[in-house]
Amino acid sequence: MKKISISLACMALPVLMSAAEYYVVPGLKASGKDGSSWENALTMYDIFANDAATKKKESESIYKHGDVFYLAGGTYINSLLGGKTGGDDVRICHGYTFVGGCDPTKGPVTEWPTYPSATPTIFSGDLNENGIADEGDMCNLVCVRSGSTDGMDISHPENPEPATTFIGVDFTNSYSPAGTKDEAGAVHCTQGRIALKYCNIYGNVSDGDGSGDGVAAGIGIRGGRYEISDCNIYGNKGRQTGAGLRVTSRSASISRGVVERCYFGENEISGRYGAAIAYTSGDSQWLVNSTIVGNKAKYEGAGIAINGSNFSGTNGSGNTDERSVHIVNCTIAGNICTADPADLYKEDTNPGSWFGSQIRISADPAVEICNSIIVGAEDDGTIAKAAIMLLDEVSSDNAYLNSYGGSILGTFATTAEPKISINWLADNMDEDAPYTYATVFGDAVPAFNGGFTKTLIPRSEFLDEIGSYPLYGFEINDFVTGLVSAGHNLPFEISVDVDQNGTKRDFSDEGETAPGAYDYLAYENAGVESAVAAKNGLVAAGAYTWKTADGSVADFTVYSVTGAVVKTAKASSVNIADLAAGVYVVTDGTSTVKAIR
């Protein structure tokens, strides 16, 4: 994984020029200090207590919009009230920036950390200290609610408040018990603005049922603006509806946001509706340069579930694309539904079918797809095993499903004759022999192939096997510009001219741009023998092995998330298969990777 240097300039964060800076260390009580140095550091208790007392009244708050908090590495269990459901004890009401992974032994912070950090900052909900998310643990690890409650739609850009931003922070071991409604999720945002960058959200569990549809385990957005970039969201479990990310709205605010350069893997729901992502409601949802692989549901969308149902322009949103989802440069593959396809349409039961193992679309959808790979683990061309499924629940004349070309797709199916506009343009599909995970990727698995987030590399022979490639010279920038010009709101800037690792895509007249989140053609066209080796010093050499790119011997050190040394090796590679499942930091003294075991 390449080392990613973070600075105010390259992050383009809305940090005010007059912003104050504070230092923060773990602690479950008031510090009595002013946060001016590591010696006088605050605790998160100080910050949560301030916002609980002053709520949204910035004039009464000690800390102001744009203030920056440097978080020391270590594990934080932040609970004012014992982790009660609803987030009151971990609420943030102002646009602060939290910078994780800082090392107090290096003195005052003059440069922001590189990520992954050797001293990671972990927000944990493990109140009962048994190492897993279960009964007795916290529901929310942070709850952002910075927007107005007077009916203002905070998703509008004229609201001047900056986002509450977390950079380089891990969120794990939160638990939402049965009966939890829509306020769940380790990271929760309701009527607020939130940005997550270089974060890991993993090992969170939700047994809540929400308003009959289940609730989030990892990230829950309920009536908020969100920007989630360069994050790994994995290993979260729920009953149904978006174990990794759930986006829904509330009466005072419609959700809107961007997920960019992220990895969703091994998220699981015991029921239906998007183990990785559930777009329940909201408008202008953009999923860009992201990998969604190996998530599991019983049926109806193991990867992504997309709902529509409202094109009325309510809540003053003023957009022409209510409930729209835009999927650009993404890899959505190998997500698995576990139900028996033979149960399809059985009377008096939920269908029990796979029903769109990668994407399930329903209820007046507005979906646009471009330059993506969407294939199932299995696909025999039948409705039950279709990679993309449209349920016949359409009543609006404004519903549509459009592909703008360049995608590699498995089977697309509907439960009845479509009543909406469906356009497939210049895509590569084969109904007689549908593309599957094995066809496109062979036995490859997601790994850190050069960026902060896991990606999946197609077989090098794949494009040769399918013949001429439909996206040759396609200008994806023009596609996005055209959407925005047509009235499709883009809530944050996105980078469609790079891949998930940040590598420049070739948009020249004679260039080729590969489908999916990982533009393997960019590396091949540059004459690079190994795409990973050309980008960084440590490369993946198997599911749990990292090696030096040139085969040289190095002094490897493996750290746990608490910063403890758990393994060393003087060799050309190091393997962590013998370690317990979890997150580790691997370094050879020059390059650093965050390793998921």
Side-chain angles (χ1 to χ4, degrees), residues 243-402:
L245 167 66
R246 186 195 185 193
V247 179
T248 188
S249 296
R250 54 183 299 164
S251 59
S253 178
I254 297 175
S255 291
R256 180 184 301 165
V258 168
V259 174
E260 187 175 17
R261 297 184 305 278
C262 289
Y263 162 72
F264 291 80
E266 300 179 17
N267 300 289
E268 185 174 344
I269 51 177
S270 57
R272 55 181 173 170
Y273 304 145
I277 302 174
Y279 290 117
T280 304
S281 68
D283 69 11
S284 290
Q285 324 285 349
W286 292 73
L287 181 66
V288 183
N289 281 324
S290 292
T291 296
I292 298 93
V293 173
N295 302 280
K296 185 183 295 184
K298 185 176 182 181
Y299 59 106
E300 287 201 53
I304 304 174
I306 300 171
N307 278 359
S309 79
N310 188 340
F311 289 82
S312 64
T314 57
N315 295 308
S317 67
N319 288 320
T320 60
D321 61 343
E322 287 283 327
R323 310 295 173 115
S324 65
V325 176
H326 311 277
I327 299 172
V328 186
N329 297 347
C330 288
T331 297
I332 306 169
N335 301 290
I336 298 172
C337 290
T338 60
D340 184 353
D343 288 338
L344 182 63
Y345 298 135
K346 281 193 173 179
E347 191 174 354
D348 298 329
T349 66
N350 283 319
S353 74
W354 290 17
F355 261 28
S357 55
Q358 309 314 297
I359 302 179
R360 175 265 197 196
I361 305 170
S362 182
D364 295 347
V367 181
E368 286 159 317
I369 300 170
C370 175
N371 196 43
S372 296
I373 301 174
I374 306 173
V375 294
E378 296 182 38
D379 196 335
D380 56 10
T382 65
I383 184 174
K385 294 188 179 182
I388 305 172
M389 184 72 196
L390 171 64
L391 273 70
D392 184 33
E393 298 177 16
V394 179
S395 60
S396 171
D397 293 336
N398 296 319
Y400 56 84
L401 171 58
N402 295 327

Side-chain angles (χ1 to χ4, degrees), residues 171-190:
F171 299 89
T172 188
N173 283 342
S174 74
Y175 177 75
S176 298
T180 305
K181 299 302 180 183
D182 294 323
E183 66 273 19
V187 180
H188 186 73
C189 176
T190 180

Side-chain angles (χ1 to χ4, degrees), residues 81-102:
L81 306 174
K84 290 178 62 177
T85 297
D88 291 340
D89 55 340
V90 288
R91 180 167 292 175
I92 297 293
C93 300
H94 301 91
Y96 308 139
T97 295
F98 296 92
V99 180
C102 299

Side-chain angles (χ1 to χ4, degrees), residues 3-6 100-101 106 111-119 452 592:
K3 295 181 72 176
I4 303 169
S5 181
I6 309 298
K106 295 182 178 180
E111 293 183 359
W112 289 18
T114 58
Y115 297 106
S117 169
T119 54
F452 182 81
T592 303

